[in-house]
Amino acid sequence: MSLQRLSHRFSILIAALWWGGITAISFLVVPFLFVQLGNPAVAGPLAARLFAWQCGASVLLGVLLLLLLRRRLGVGAPSAADGLANMSSAVGTMGFVLLAMLLALLQQFGVAQQIVSARATGGDLRLWHSLGSAMVLGQWLCAGAVLWRLSRRD
């Protein structure tokens, strides 16, 4: 198996772990916490820790994917239309990776802080929770798009 093929398969594995992790934490574990603990004051801080961990994982896995995709772009100069199509596809996939990473960072260092502040001051908690949920959904969609694009047959 060539190094390029191994790199591609590894990128699919990373994308699957990323999408699966977001799915598990955001749509299974966090709602389960709120149902089982029954008290938002107890479940909220645990959920916040999980989302912080998810942000770190998203950034780490995103950087790994960007490095692998960048390496893929650097292998051989495109000499035909197929080469240009593959290059365009890799650049588009990198865009989804970057957008997901940006959403993760904004959610963790912007929205999460506003949720804490709104809870303490009586601010608009519903707005910030909705915005945070939309950002998590955006991350999930971007990670899914990355997985989809990487796993399609050429």
Side-chain angles (χ1 to χ4, degrees):
M1 180 178 293
S2 72
L3 187 58
Q4 183 177 3
R5 181 79 179 133
L6 187 63
S7 173
H8 181 69
R9 291 183 67 146
F10 191 57
S11 67
I12 293 171
L13 177 63
I14 292 171
L17 289 171
W18 190 15
W19 183 81
I22 293 171
T23 301
I25 290 172
S26 301
F27 303 122
L28 299 172
V29 175
V30 168
F32 183 77
L33 276 176
F34 281 91
V35 168
Q36 289 300 307
L37 296 177
N39 183 352
V42 175
L46 291 173
R49 282 191 223 151
L50 286 171
F51 283 126
W53 182 85
Q54 181 177 300
C55 174
S58 288
V59 170
L60 175 66
L61 294 173
V63 166
L64 289 173
L65 280 170
L66 289 173
L67 290 172
L68 289 168
L69 288 166
R70 182 175 172 263
R71 186 175 192 285
R72 191 169 158 188
L73 284 174
V75 175
S79 58
D82 286 342
L84 289 173
N86 286 338
M87 186 172 177
S88 175
S89 176
V91 169
T93 303
M94 290 174 99
F96 281 114
V97 171
L98 288 168
L99 180 57
M101 291 170 62
L102 177 64
L103 287 169
L105 291 167
L106 286 173
Q107 194 267 337
Q108 178 61 34
F109 297 108
V111 174
Q113 304 306 315
Q114 293 299 323
I115 290 172
V116 170
S117 176
R119 184 169 284 135
T121 63
D124 195 350
L125 192 58
R126 174 177 261 168
L127 168 72
W128 293 110
H129 268 284
S130 297
L131 188 57
S133 296
M135 287 182 166
V136 169
L137 180 62
Q139 291 171 57
W140 181 74
L141 290 171
C142 286
V146 169
L147 178 57
W148 186 269
R149 292 169 69 97
L150 289 174
S151 63
R152 72 177 172 227
R153 295 209 181 259
D154 292 329

